[in-house]
Each structure stands twice: as structure tokens, then as C-alpha cells.
Amino acid sequence: MESLSNRMTTLNSMSTASTTAPSDAASSPIDMHDLLAPVLEEMKLVEEWLTTNLIDESPFVGELLNQIFQAGGKRIRPLVTLLASKASLTDPAVDQVHSEISRLHIILAVLTELIHSASLVHDDVIDASSTRRGQETVNKKFNDKLAVLLGDLLFAQASICLARIMNPVVVGIYGQVLGDLCSGEISQMRQQFSTVVDWDAYFQKSIKKTASLIAAGAHSGAILNARPNEVVAALKVYGEKLGLCFQIVDDVLDFTGTTEATGKPVGGDLRGGLITAPALYILEAGGAPAVTLAKLIKDRQVQTDEGVAEALELIRSNGGVEAALALAARIGEEAKAALSILPDSPSKASLIGLVDYVLVRNK
Amino acid sequence: MESLSNRMTTLNSMSTASTTAPSDAASSPIDMHDLLAPVLEEMKLVEEWLTTNLIDESPFVGELLNQIFQAGGKRIRPLVTLLASKASLTDPAVDQVHSEISRLHIILAVLTELIHSASLVHDDVIDASSTRRGQETVNKKFNDKLAVLLGDLLFAQASICLARIMNPVVVGIYGQVLGDLCSGEISQMRQQFSTVVDWDAYFQKSIKKTASLIAAGAHSGAILNARPNEVVAALKVYGEKLGLCFQIVDDVLDFTGTTEATGKPVGGDLRGGLITAPALYILEAGGAPAVTLAKLIKDRQVQTDEGVAEALELIRSNGGVEAALALAARIGEEAKAALSILPDSPSKASLIGLVDYVLVRNK
């Protein structure tokens, strides 16, 4: 029981964050405790499953899983998956068909988080990152080799979960998500240090690297619930828009966040040549700021402390952050609008509230 | 068409190896051309599929796939998959039900090779290997980062193939295979430089790292063919035994092979602390050779040129290689025996011949 209570730590701290962390509450008018309420019991089961060794009997694998999931994480993906599953349980047209979240929905939420965690562990190797969630990354703390193995292990756990769901359509959706994650990573690598303003490339990369997985979680529950195509499609749109919103805010946090809050070095994206929405707005606007920023990027000055500080200041002082946040807000409204097809429910209300939570998050 | 004909190179050189390479023919009485004959056309389709980009439209992904699969490989796994699929097409009890290998069998063979290739690319990172199949590994030629991404990309391609098969039982089998690959890798890491004679641990590691995937290919075709449980189970046993046989011979080649033939450094396993069948026999037999070998391993002298040469010579001159080959031969006979449930066919004959091919291979 002690190990189980340890596993609960993340969830408990998450659900009480707004009351125990005034600084967080001050910056976020959305209470995560309220958002979690409709699926609180189910989220506890998700935490338990995440560290359940499905691969073999070795305690070593269980230990590795514990280490990864006790490092924390926002658990946005399983939350979206469970809320969307619950919000699509009833079909107003034919009265109430289902009334409970099943074991399959829990597994769906778990595998969505497993894939996310696996891709983070491998991304940290690919990007040679040294901190994540305020802790040393696996590749930094140990080495690339263990990080490769751990990522593979998480993907394997996800595959075993996926097999247990026994739904070929859902298998297809997640198969494509794995492809999108790789494809998004490749696009990102190929766009490094490019100063061409290509919004389509930015959105495509963001959808593949982030939104595709969130969208999979958001609409696969409705597929398991045998909901009509238009309900499934609406939840997919919700997930994609929420995911894009999440990614844009993440990109903004590279400019406005503190290492203390985000657990990542400020300006890290820019240093790595990753040109995101705030910078794209400045480059698109033209004039002296665009010319200076393009030069800082092209000459790789953003890889130095002085260069990155200059670029960050330039983008901040010319409204790049505000423009990116306004973009995220517009996409967030589209995410909410997609939910109009669903009957009102506490879960639907949480899905709407989650958009606002994502928009104002500071970590 | 040119790129397709390039893709065919591996297969063509494989099917004509015994006539064009006298030295190979001399050491191998089994003609690979004969073994391939029942599924030659299907194997050509497999080659084509292996480099088909299922993930997105980017030519870059296609190029990466080309690079990996043009490096060669024995293609044993797709061959077993197709032969076993074809050998289990007819059900003698109810007359002939199926007569053709379908697209699904081809995809099954492809995904089996994709998983194998993905695990090799990641294993080379984990083991910090610099040569594979006589060529520089991806991690050596480029870096760990690209190797992680390439492996993930191959796993993603495999997942998309798996989804297309639309069979939940097959999804479950391959999900467990992915778990076995990680679990086998972990066991291998934890047994490094151990001089405890633990045959069970050796077999379990070999099943998980090698035989599990071959067995998946060997019996999943029969599942798609809706064959009775006993036929499916017999093909699974065949695949596991063939896989074990393959792994033991692979372990022997670390002692007897040449870098020219295997494309890997001789004694590489022993240097890395991987204690396999030939060494286990010496350690088990006791006496002076066992004491000397244990000391060379425990003191990490096998990591030096002189130490590994002494250990190799000790194992060779005390019959370790012959004992391991005799073990492989016994397991090979069990693999053949498992096939007795199938009606005679050219594909069944090739499955039997493949055991002998694996036993006498020198690369």
C-alpha cells in the first residue's frame, strides 16, 4: 500500500495545487481540482496502472516505471481522454446507453500517457536535453543507452495496453500517432534555424508532435462508446485544437516562463534553433526587429547567452508573446465550439474549463 | 522502377548466394534458393513494402528506410512468416479452405522484419556497437540521436502495419513481443560478466531477445488463416525452437566467425561481458579451464585484446563450440518435429530446410 500511496502523490498534489500553491493559484483562475472532479477516481486508477509492469515479472522494470512516473507530469492527456470518454457516454438520440467508464477507458488513458512519456524520454536524447520537469533527464542522469531502453520499454507497455483494448480502429489511430510523432520530430529538425515564415509548417509540426496524441485520446473513448461519427469527429477536432493551443502556450513559456516553474531552461527552444509562434510573428511583421532577429538566428548568435537574451527581449518587446497568446486563445475558442454537439455534463464542462486552464498555465 | 530494382538487390543476392559465392556454398550444403522458392514472389513484395513510407509524404522518411534496408540482412523473419503462412493455408480435415497468400500475410512478414530492424538500431545504441552487417552502425556513422529517431520510425511503421492487419489477437502477440525485446535486453544487461552457470536465464534471455519475434511471425499467419489451435501452437513451438537455434549459432559465431563474414568483431560478445552457450559449457564442466575462464571474465580481462584472445582459445580448445552446436542441433530437431502436424508441402519442406540452413550458417 505504501508504494501505491507514493504513486498517488503526483495526483494528489495536482488536485490540490490551487489551494496549496498560492503562486500557482494567483496566475491561474482555473481550479484543477474542479476540472478533475468528474473523473477523480478514474485518474487514481490511471496512476496505479502507469507503474504496473505488464512486460514481465522483474521488479527492475517496475522500479524503472516508478522512477519515471514519480517525477511528475501534468497528466493532461489521460485527463482529456477520461473526460471525453465520460462526456460521450450517453447518446441523447437513443436515451442513455452506457453509464460507466469501463476498464477499457482507463487503459486508453494510460496508454496515451505512456506514449507521451516514451516520446519525451527519446526526445531528450534526440535534443540532448539535460533537464525536464525540473529534474535531470534520464540521458543526463544516466546515459543515452538507458534512455533508449526506457523509452522502448514505455512504448512496449503502451503496445500491450493497446492490444488489450481489442479495437482495430483504435489500434489504427494510435499506430498513426506513433508515425506522427516521428514525422513531427523530423520536420522540427529540418526547420531548425530557418527564418522563413511558414505558418503551415509550424502548425503541421505542432499537430504531429503534440496535438495528434491528445486528439487520439480525445476521440478514441467515443469510438469505444460506439458514438455516431459526428460525435467522434467533433471530439477529434476538440483534441487537435486543444493540443495546438497547448503547444503554442508551451512555445510562449519558452519566452515568459521561469526555469523554476517550467523545469526547462528559458529560451531553450530558440537556442536549439526552434522558431515558434512568438518569433514567427516578429519575422512576419517585417521592419528592423525582423531583420535583427533573422540575423541573430541565421548567424547562430541565439546559441550564445548574449544572443539568446537579445532575441528574447526583441520578441517580447515587439508583441510576439501577446500575438501568440491571442492565436492560442482563438484556437481555444474553436476547441470549445467543437463540443457543442455533446449534451451538457460535468465532464463536458471540465473539457471546456481545460481549454482555459491550458491558456493561462505558467508551467 | 530503378529504386525498386535497387531494393531487390538484397533479395536477389540472397537467392543466388549459393551459386555465385562458392566459399559460402562450400560451408553450407543448404541452397537458400531452394528454401525461398515457395514464397519467392511474396518475398519480393516484402522488400518493396519495407521501404514504403507509411508515415507521411516526406521523401526524407523514404530515404531513411532505403538506407536501412539496402544495408542488407538475412530476412530470415519474413521468410519464416511467409513459409509458415503458406504451410498452414490448407486444412486437411475440411479439405482446402484457402489457397493464396493474402496481402495481410505480406504485411505480417514486413512488420516482423521492421520490428527486428528497429530493435537492432536501438540495440546498437545501447551496446555502443560500431559495426553491423559489415557496415558502420547508424549511431557510429551519424550519432545516437539519429539512431533513436530511426528506430522509433521503424517501430512506428511496424505499428501502422499491425493496425492494418485488424486482428486483435495478432496485435496482442506483437505487443508482447515488444515487451519481450525490452525485457530480454534488460536481462542481458543484468547478467553481464556473471560467471554463474544459469542455463534457464540464458534460454529465457535468448527467447525474449530473439525467438519471441520469430515465433510471432511463425504462428500469426496460421491465426489469420483461422487454423485450429493445435496447428497455431505447433507453429509457435517451431518458431521458438528455430529462434533459439538461431541465437545459439549466432553466439557460436562470436567464437568461430570472421569479421569479414559476420560483419561484427570476433569475440565482441565476450568483450561486452555477454556469457553465451560455448562459455557456459566450459564454466559448467569445471576444472582448470573453468577457473581460468571465470577469472578472465571476473577481472574484466576479456575487455582487453590479450584477455579476449585467451578466453576464445580456451573455450574453443576445450570443446565449448562443439557442445553449443550439438545443443543447437538438438533444439533444431525439436523444431522440425513440431511441424509433423502440417500436411506435406513445398513450404513445409522449406521450413524444415531452414533449420539446417540456420545450423550451418557462417554469417
Side-chain angles (χ1 to χ4, degrees):
Chain A
M1 281 310 290
E2 189 176 295
S3 87
L4 181 57
S5 73
N6 282 344
R7 291 173 195 167
M8 296 291 116
T9 312
T10 308
L11 187 67
N12 290 339
S13 63
M14 186 168 150
S15 63
T16 57
S18 63
T19 50
T20 57
S23 69
D24 191 47
S27 69
S28 167
I30 314 295
D31 189 336
M32 181 48 100
H33 188 267
D34 292 342
L35 299 181
L36 270 168
V39 290
L40 193 60
E41 289 309 309
E42 291 86 351
M43 284 294 281
K44 287 181 182 165
L45 292 173
V46 166
E47 283 304 307
E48 201 173 337
W49 262 89
L50 280 174
T51 51
T52 301
N53 177 3
L54 305 172
I55 290 174
D56 58 19
E57 281 91 41
S58 95
F60 185 69
V61 170
E63 269 312 301
L64 292 177
L65 294 171
N66 265 321
Q67 277 178 33
I68 290 170
F69 292 108
Q70 283 178 4
K74 290 179 283 289
R75 306 284 193 265
I76 294 287
R77 290 155 190 81
L79 180 59
V80 170
T81 305
L82 289 173
L83 288 172
S85 294
K86 207 156 194 169
S88 64
L89 277 177
T90 57
D91 181 352
V94 291
D95 208 359
Q96 189 162 324
V97 189
H98 306 268
S99 62
E100 286 294 326
I101 287 284
S102 77
R103 186 171 155 274
L104 294 186
H105 296 105
I106 307 289
I107 298 176
L108 192 66
V110 168
L111 89 91
T112 308
E113 185 70 7
L114 285 168
I115 291 175
H116 170 58
S117 302
S119 76
L120 290 187
V121 172
H122 280 181
D123 279 0
D124 285 340
V125 177
I126 294 167
D127 303 336
S129 306
S130 52
T131 52
R132 160 87 64 187
R133 294 170 178 171
Q135 302 205 354
E136 274 191 322
T137 56
V138 180
N139 46 303
K140 170 79 176 168
K141 191 171 179 184
F142 302 95
N143 50 50
D144 280 4
K145 298 169 198 182
L146 190 69
V148 173
L149 185 59
L150 269 179
D152 285 352
L153 197 142
L154 292 167
F155 278 128
Q157 289 265 119
S159 299
I160 294 170
C161 287
L162 194 52
R164 292 199 184 181
I165 291 177
M166 300 281 270
N167 183 306
V169 178
V170 174
V171 171
I173 291 167
Y174 281 87
Q176 193 57 53
V177 163
L178 294 179
D180 283 348
L181 288 170
C182 290
S183 169
E185 185 67 35
I186 291 170
S187 302
Q188 182 170 308
M189 281 166 66
R190 291 165 71 81
Q191 291 161 23
Q192 273 178 336
F193 297 105
S194 164
T195 54
V196 176
V197 178
D198 186 343
W199 285 101
D200 188 52
Y202 172 70
F203 286 127
Q204 281 306 314
K205 186 272 297 171
S206 302
I207 287 172
K208 286 179 171 177
K209 278 214 66 167
T210 306
S212 179
L213 178 59
I214 294 177
H219 78 292
S220 292
I223 293 171
L224 296 182
N225 296 337
R227 288 283 70 76
N229 286 344
E230 55 270 28
V231 171
V232 172
L235 282 167
K236 186 180 176 187
V237 169
Y238 167 81
E240 272 191 3
K241 302 277 184 188
L242 178 72
L244 261 181
C245 206
F246 186 89
Q247 184 57 54
I248 295 168
V249 173
D250 215 60
D251 294 340
V252 166
L253 286 173
D254 193 53
F255 294 86
T256 62
T258 60
T259 302
E260 199 185 352
T262 64
K264 289 184 284 194
V266 179
D269 288 347
L270 210 48
R271 272 178 194 267
L274 190 55
I275 313 306
T276 60
L280 286 174
Y281 273 113
I282 303 304
L283 292 170
E284 189 178 39
V291 173
T292 310
L293 179 58
K295 191 168 158 38
L296 287 168
I297 295 166
K298 276 190 181 162
D299 295 351
R300 303 288 195 273
Q301 289 179 65
V302 288
Q303 291 180 322
T304 68
D305 286 349
E306 302 75 30
V308 78
E310 187 182 344
L312 286 173
E313 179 51 30
L314 187 76
I315 292 164
R316 286 190 201 117
S317 63
N318 283 280
V321 165
E322 290 74 12
L325 285 177
L327 171 69
R330 285 198 300 278
I331 295 171
E333 287 309 310
E334 292 169 6
K336 291 180 190 172
L339 298 176
S340 62
I341 195 170
L342 295 174
D344 286 339
S345 70
S347 293
K348 177 179 169 178
S350 276
L351 287 172
I352 292 170
L354 194 56
V355 175
D356 295 319
Y357 177 83
V358 162
L359 283 170
V360 298
R361 74 194 177 94
N362 66 356
K363 61 183 181 179
Chain B
M1 281 309 291
E2 189 176 294
S3 87
L4 180 59
S5 74
N6 282 344
R7 292 175 195 166
M8 294 292 114
T9 313
T10 308
L11 186 66
N12 290 338
S13 63
M14 184 171 153
S15 62
T16 56
S18 63
T19 51
T20 59
S23 68
D24 191 48
S27 70
S28 168
I30 314 295
D31 189 336
M32 181 48 102
H33 187 267
D34 292 342
L35 300 181
L36 271 168
V39 290
L40 193 59
E41 289 309 308
E42 291 86 352
M43 284 293 282
K44 287 180 182 167
L45 292 173
V46 167
E47 284 303 308
E48 202 175 336
W49 262 89
L50 280 173
T51 51
T52 301
N53 176 3
L54 305 172
I55 289 174
D56 59 20
E57 282 91 41
S58 95
F60 185 69
V61 170
E63 269 312 301
L64 291 177
L65 294 171
N66 264 320
Q67 277 179 32
I68 290 170
F69 291 108
Q70 282 177 6
K74 290 179 282 289
R75 306 284 193 265
I76 294 287
R77 289 156 190 82
L79 180 59
V80 169
T81 305
L82 289 172
L83 288 172
S85 294
K86 207 156 194 168
S88 63
L89 277 177
T90 57
D91 182 351
V94 291
D95 209 357
Q96 188 164 324
V97 191
H98 307 266
S99 61
E100 285 295 323
I101 288 283
S102 77
R103 186 170 154 278
L104 295 185
H105 296 106
I106 307 289
I107 298 177
L108 192 67
V110 168
L111 88 92
T112 308
E113 185 70 7
L114 284 168
I115 291 175
H116 171 58
S117 302
S119 76
L120 290 187
V121 172
H122 281 181
D123 280 0
D124 285 340
V125 177
I126 294 166
D127 303 336
S129 306
S130 53
T131 52
R132 160 88 63 187
R133 294 170 178 172
Q135 302 205 353
E136 274 190 324
T137 56
V138 181
N139 46 305
K140 171 78 177 169
K141 192 171 177 184
F142 302 96
N143 50 51
D144 280 3
K145 298 168 197 180
L146 189 70
V148 173
L149 184 60
L150 268 179
D152 286 352
L153 197 143
L154 292 167
F155 277 128
Q157 290 265 118
S159 299
I160 294 170
C161 286
L162 195 53
R164 293 199 183 180
I165 291 177
M166 300 281 270
N167 184 305
V169 177
V170 174
V171 171
I173 290 167
Y174 280 87
Q176 193 56 52
V177 163
L178 294 179
D180 284 348
L181 288 171
C182 289
S183 168
E185 185 67 35
I186 291 170
S187 303
Q188 183 171 307
M189 280 166 64
R190 291 167 70 83
Q191 290 161 25
Q192 273 178 334
F193 297 105
S194 164
T195 55
V196 176
V197 178
D198 185 343
W199 285 102
D200 188 52
Y202 172 71
F203 286 126
Q204 282 305 315
K205 186 272 298 170
S206 303
I207 287 173
K208 288 180 169 175
K209 278 214 66 169
T210 306
S212 178
L213 178 58
I214 295 177
H219 78 293
S220 292
I223 292 170
L224 297 181
N225 295 337
R227 286 283 70 77
N229 287 344
E230 56 270 27
V231 172
V232 172
L235 282 167
K236 185 180 178 190
V237 169
Y238 167 82
E240 271 192 3
K241 303 277 184 187
L242 178 72
L244 260 180
C245 205
F246 186 89
Q247 184 57 55
I248 295 167
V249 173
D250 215 60
D251 294 340
V252 166
L253 287 173
D254 193 54
F255 295 86
T256 61
T258 61
T259 302
E260 199 185 353
T262 64
K264 289 183 284 194
V266 179
D269 289 346
L270 210 49
R271 272 178 195 267
L274 189 55
I275 313 305
T276 60
L280 285 173
Y281 273 113
I282 303 304
L283 292 169
E284 188 178 41
V291 173
T292 309
L293 179 59
K295 189 166 159 42
L296 287 168
I297 295 167
K298 278 192 180 161
D299 296 350
R300 304 286 196 273
Q301 289 178 66
V302 286
Q303 293 180 319
T304 66
D305 286 349
E306 303 74 32
V308 77
E310 187 181 344
L312 287 173
E313 180 51 31
L314 188 76
I315 292 163
R316 285 189 202 119
S317 63
N318 283 281
V321 165
E322 289 74 13
L325 285 177
L327 171 68
R330 286 198 299 278
I331 296 170
E333 288 309 310
E334 292 169 6
K336 292 179 190 172
L339 297 176
S340 63
I341 196 171
L342 295 174
D344 285 340
S345 69
S347 292
K348 177 180 169 178
S350 275
L351 287 171
I352 292 170
L354 193 57
V355 175
D356 295 319
Y357 177 83
V358 162
L359 283 170
V360 298
R361 74 194 176 95
N362 64 356
K363 59 181 183 180

